[in-house]
Amino acid sequence: MKRKDVTREALHRAALRSTRASAALENRSVPVGVTRSERVERFLAARKQRV
């Protein structure tokens, strides 16, 4: 199989698509316009630093 380079943006879009599809299957979609709390933002920022 031939190797194909994938951009970071493409990976991000794929992850978003997968997350939305998974949530929809479980009937737990997040409403449009919902903002993350400061605590969640800090948690995600800490995870990005470790990766």
Side-chain angles (χ1 to χ4, degrees):
M1 181 177 241
K2 187 176 177 182
R3 184 179 173 120
K4 184 175 181 181
D5 290 333
V6 180
T7 64
R8 187 184 265 314
E9 180 61 30
L11 287 173
H12 181 71
R13 284 193 316 265
L16 284 176
R17 228 179 7 255
S18 175
T19 302
R20 285 188 190 127
S22 178
L25 285 173
E26 297 174 7
N27 292 324
R28 58 176 182 82
S29 297
V30 177
V32 175
V34 172
T35 57
R36 294 178 178 150
S37 68
E38 179 62 31
R39 182 177 175 193
V40 170
E41 290 293 341
R42 285 195 313 267
F43 172 75
L44 293 174
R47 283 189 53 128
K48 273 188 179 177
Q49 290 175 353
R50 285 189 281 156
V51 174

